[in-house]
Amino acid sequence: MCGIVGYIGGQEACPILMEGLSRLSYRGYDSAGVAVLDAHGKLNIRKAKGRLENLEALLASDMPGGSVGIGHTRWATHGEPSDLNAHPHTDVKGGIAVVHNGIIENHDTLRRHLQSQGCVFVSQTDTEVVAHLLSTLYQGSMKDTLLKAMGMLEGSYALGVVCDQEPGALFCARHESPLVVGAKAGASFIASDIPALLSHTRDVIFLQDKEMAVLTREGIQVYDPFGSQRQHTFYHVEWDLSSAEKGGYAHYMLKEIHEQPTALHSTFAPRNNGNQHDYRWLPLTQEEAGKLKKISIVACGTAYHAGMFGKYVIEKLARVPVMADIASEYRYRDPIIGADELFIAVSQSGETADTLAALREAKRRGAKVIAICNVVGSTISREVGEANTLYTYAGPEIAVASTKAYMTQVEMMLLIALALADLRGEITPDEAERLRTEIAALPAKAEQALAIEEKMQRFASTVSQKKHVFFVGRGLDYALSLEAALKLKEVSYVFSEAYAAGELKHGPIALLQEGRLVVATITQPALLDKTLSNLREIKARGARVLAICREDLEAKVVGEADDLILIPAADDLLAPLLAVIPLQLFAYCMAVARGCDVDKPRNLAKSVTVE
Ligand code: G6P
């Protein structure tokens, strides 16, 4: 995700900001910038697309002087990576500069309102709205202005603000996006992440939601949303730099697994504007949706598994035939593309060569082409056009094995299924509303599902020396099993295969014997009895069964499995998203127990840009 730094003290701000930004570069970014208030209270901004070196080169010849400033590394969400879209953003007069992490969900409404008041926008970002808003509200106190603006902003934000009218202060605020504040004698700092602060101070305050702070050279004041000063306690950070980069987690993969509740929210929020029949986010008209004859979902690896999930949910809800295909197969298969066919490319990176080639082929043959991507401005999103790209907003994924990107791709499949069902008249408004409410509740349930981590660790330590693991499930649970088997083999190098539970007896059962491990995912009540009879076949061959099961199905499963991991109860279409979490944790814990290089598995690359 984007990175924020800020400094006020007795030294030149620019080198300190740049050092902080370089400490945050591990998070991934596509542009960077700084804003510094000089000794006369004039605000100077420098920004550059691409690597930090580009910004450094700019500063080498023209470094703004001054001892108050903010800096930012941007990972694009609204608007492509460019100099203009890079932060800091300013108001029309250029006296207020803002850096921002998160997503301002009501940016459209605010932008229209501010434009009607004469504000001229120069970027495509949601952040620029904040700069103009602060400027129009300002009446002499940035503290009061920021508090007022916070009451008007919807969504998530960590904000750093400097203002030429108050050159002796640095302002910050947060809501659902992390921000830490640090201090040492004569200087104060802000940062989105601890690594940016460690070379200056280990004494930090973690701002809470809806808190703001005013930093001066003398110290820090923290305020609640009503403007009353709050007592704050400094926390002494013991982490070394490497664990600080991982937010205190042992690996990026684990950090990203834990980021899934937030990622689920970030994917859903822009597609949930309160009006249940508003599907403007979907790049399809009602007429196109109604006429759809077929959908092809094409991708590689984990993204293909999200496509498999999409096939089940879209067919179920929207009643359109869906084919999920592997991109490297699709592109060479002389695919048949009919009239009224929708092609969906799914790719975390938006750079995968086979997926790109498959979508070009589909386009050439006349399909309507859209994409689900995580990286804004990636090749695939440019190829289909921004308007035809559904961004997952999972934030940068650093571990090679995909977790949070997969989770949000799967959620996007659900959202597409629901939208198409509604547009095609295949679902009642009540049912659509019920599902939407359930989707909104997913982040909290995902948080609960994460609580099984320790139990999974214990389980993995008892089976970590297994040489083979089978994953079985039916329906959506089969789609999950495919991903679970891929995850396990990617990070732990354990030979793992997934089978539709009903398919076991057609061959793979020959491999079952005393001591084999089988992981069964059970989230579908309608298929429960069938799956249980498969478990009996498995156990009769002496295999050990771990069941990942919905807690409301526990009573039926308890005697049928050797080990049980429960996930919160949820709707049949949503429970699989919660089952993903223990399956990911299983792969992670196995890899750790086996001493594997979790974040950088052998032979794998995060993004495969060659055939
Ligand atoms: C590589 C990665 C996989 C990923 C696949 C597709 O093989 O190792 O984790 O699922 O590419 O990547 P994409 O960026 O297109 O989703």
Side-chain angles (χ1 to χ4, degrees):
M1 219 100 46
C2 311
I4 288 179
V5 294
Y7 169 76
I8 177 162
Q11 291 173 258
E12 282 299 303
C14 230
I16 293 174
L17 297 176
M18 288 304 287
E19 191 240 7
L21 291 181
S22 75
R23 296 274 183 212
L24 299 181
S25 58
Y26 69 93
R27 294 158 63 93
Y29 64 95
D30 48 50
S31 54
V34 292
V36 178
L37 276 171
D38 68 18
H40 314 289
K42 184 177 178 307
L43 198 53
N44 289 299
I45 313 267
R46 302 285 183 274
K47 327 200 249 190
K49 180 184 165 183
R51 313 290 310 157
L52 266 179
E53 287 77 23
N54 301 351
L55 180 60
E56 249 157 32
L58 206 63
L59 294 172
S61 56
D62 184 18
M63 180 168 311
S67 54
V68 187
I70 48 179
H72 193 260
T73 45
R74 173 174 189 251
W75 199 74
T77 55
H78 293 70
E80 53 166 12
S82 67
D83 288 357
L84 269 185
N85 287 334
H87 300 208
H89 290 284
T90 58
D91 65 327
V92 178
K93 288 175 275 181
I96 295 174
V98 175
V99 289
H100 164 225
N101 284 359
I103 294 177
I104 305 297
E105 282 158 21
N106 59 340
H107 69 99
D108 259 346
T109 319
L110 289 172
R111 180 179 288 112
R112 278 194 296 275
H113 169 71
L114 291 161
Q115 279 168 334
S116 74
Q117 303 208 334
C119 296
V120 179
F121 283 73
V122 295
S123 80
Q124 300 155 298
T125 64
D126 51 337
T127 305
E128 194 184 347
V129 161
V130 183
H132 293 298
L133 183 64
L134 292 174
S135 175
T136 52
L137 297 174
Y138 191 75
Q139 286 183 332
S141 158
M142 184 48 79
K143 180 201 133 202
D144 295 344
T145 307
L146 191 51
L147 282 167
K148 201 161 175 191
M150 286 164 73
M152 298 168 74
L153 297 174
E154 288 167 21
S156 57
Y157 52 81
L159 291 167
V161 180
V162 288
C163 160
D164 61 357
Q165 299 298 305
E166 297 174 59
L170 168 60
F171 305 85
C172 65
R174 72 151 269 180
H175 182 56
E176 291 180 356
S177 190
L179 197 65
V180 283
V181 178
K184 68 174 189 184
S188 305
F189 306 82
I190 62 169
S192 53
D193 302 70
I194 286 172
L197 298 183
L198 283 185
S199 61
H200 305 288
T201 178
R202 288 184 167 266
D203 294 315
V204 302
I205 304 164
F206 293 96
L207 278 198
Q208 302 302 307
D209 275 349
K210 296 267 177 186
E211 277 185 349
M212 68 149 302
V214 181
L215 286 72
T216 59
R217 292 178 182 87
E218 290 73 46
I220 297 165
Q221 281 102 43
V222 177
Y223 297 93
D224 73 10
F226 308 103
S228 307
Q229 199 169 333
R230 272 199 178 152
Q231 288 304 317
H232 53 263
T233 31
F234 280 97
Y235 174 87
H236 188 73
V237 180
E238 306 280 2
W239 298 340
D240 60 19
L241 191 61
S242 141
S243 66
E245 286 180 348
K246 295 172 194 121
Y249 292 102
H251 299 96
Y252 285 112
M253 183 179 175
L254 187 60
K255 174 172 180 267
E256 287 159 8
I257 289 173
H258 279 268
E259 283 171 349
Q260 292 180 118
T262 308
L264 281 164
H265 176 75
S266 302
T267 304
F268 182 48
R271 284 93 199 184
N272 177 37
N273 64 3
N275 176 356
Q276 55 171 310
H277 297 298
D278 184 349
Y279 295 113
R280 276 176 296 175
W281 56 267
L282 187 71
L284 227 58
T285 62
Q286 175 143 23
E287 196 194 343
E288 283 173 324
K291 281 184 10 194
L292 272 184
K293 298 259 178 346
K294 186 183 150 207
I295 298 175
S296 295
I297 307 178
V298 179
C300 300
T302 290
Y304 162 69
H305 293 151
M308 282 289 288
F309 183 91
K311 172 182 167 62
Y312 282 93
V313 282
I314 296 173
E315 287 190 343
K316 170 106 186 145
L317 288 179
R319 312 306 297 155
V320 192
V322 181
M323 187 200 67
D325 211 344
I326 295 166
S328 55
E329 288 295 311
Y330 180 91
R331 61 184 287 197
Y332 294 118
R333 218 187 44 215
D334 195 7
I336 301 167
I337 300 202
D340 302 317
E341 173 160 343
L342 176 67
F343 177 100
I344 309 179
V346 189
S347 175
Q348 186 285 129
S349 61
E351 303 295 342
T352 302
D354 282 318
T355 310
L356 184 60
L359 90 80
R360 284 182 179 150
E361 184 61 17
K363 217 163 143 183
R364 199 177 63 77
R365 292 180 185 232
K368 159 122 190 161
V369 176
I370 69 172
I372 298 175
C373 277
N374 194 40
V375 178
V376 174
S378 57
T379 308
I380 288 177
S381 68
R382 290 202 307 273
E383 191 87 11
V384 302
E386 284 288 311
N388 290 319
T389 305
L390 294 169
Y391 287 115
T392 43
Y393 301 126
E397 204 177 49
I398 292 170
V400 166
S402 178
T403 53
K404 62 176 181 172
Y406 169 75
M407 178 69 97
T408 54
Q409 287 161 354
V410 165
E411 187 185 31
M412 185 58 81
M413 292 298 170
L414 258 176
L415 294 170
I416 292 174
L418 185 54
L420 288 178
D422 210 351
L423 291 169
R424 291 166 63 84
E426 295 286 353
I427 194 169
T428 63
D430 284 356
E431 179 60 0
E433 196 44 36
R434 188 187 67 78
L435 281 173
R436 231 187 312 275
T437 310
E438 284 253 0
I439 295 172
L442 269 176
K445 290 187 181 180
E447 204 68 72
Q448 286 172 37
L450 283 163
I452 58 93
E453 186 178 333
E454 262 183 53
K455 189 169 180 190
M456 189 55 95
Q457 229 166 39
R458 285 196 297 277
F459 175 77
S461 68
T462 67
V463 296
S464 64
Q465 295 316 311
K466 295 273 180 208
K467 294 205 165 49
H468 309 89
V469 179
F470 288 93
F471 292 85
V472 295
R474 284 173 177 259
L476 290 171
D477 293 336
Y478 169 51
L480 289 198
S481 299
L482 289 168
E483 173 58 10
L486 177 67
K487 213 76 319 172
L488 183 65
K489 61 171 81 98
E490 276 180 321
V491 296
S492 75
Y493 318 138
V494 174
F495 186 97
S496 47
E497 281 303 322
Y499 280 95
E503 186 65 10
L504 261 190
K505 59 166 82 68
H506 299 290
I509 201 162
L511 297 171
L512 291 186
Q513 60 186 51
E514 199 69 34
R516 286 273 192 270
L517 177 61
V518 178
V519 179
T521 305
I522 306 176
T523 68
Q524 303 297 301
L527 303 170
L528 180 62
D529 291 338
K530 298 281 174 215
T531 307
L532 290 182
S533 78
N534 297 133
L535 293 195
R536 284 173 209 134
E537 292 161 4
I538 293 167
K539 285 189 61 65
R541 270 79 191 173
R544 176 174 178 181
V545 174
L546 164 68
I548 312 275
C549 158
R550 239 164 77 171
E551 63 188 11
D552 52 329
L553 304 179
E554 179 185 5
K556 284 198 145 182
V557 180
V558 74
E560 311 278 359
D562 301 282
D563 304 272
L564 204 57
I565 297 259
L566 298 177
I567 55 158
D571 180 86
D572 296 0
L573 295 178
L574 278 72
L577 280 79
L578 302 172
V580 167
I581 291 172
L583 292 168
Q584 293 168 339
L585 285 170
F586 176 59
Y588 172 77
C589 295
M590 287 287 277
V592 172
R594 293 166 64 84
C596 301
D597 186 353
V598 179
D599 286 333
K600 290 198 179 82
R602 69 185 182 209
N603 306 340
L604 297 180
K606 182 75 188 153
S607 167
V608 181
T609 53
V610 290
E611 260 193 72

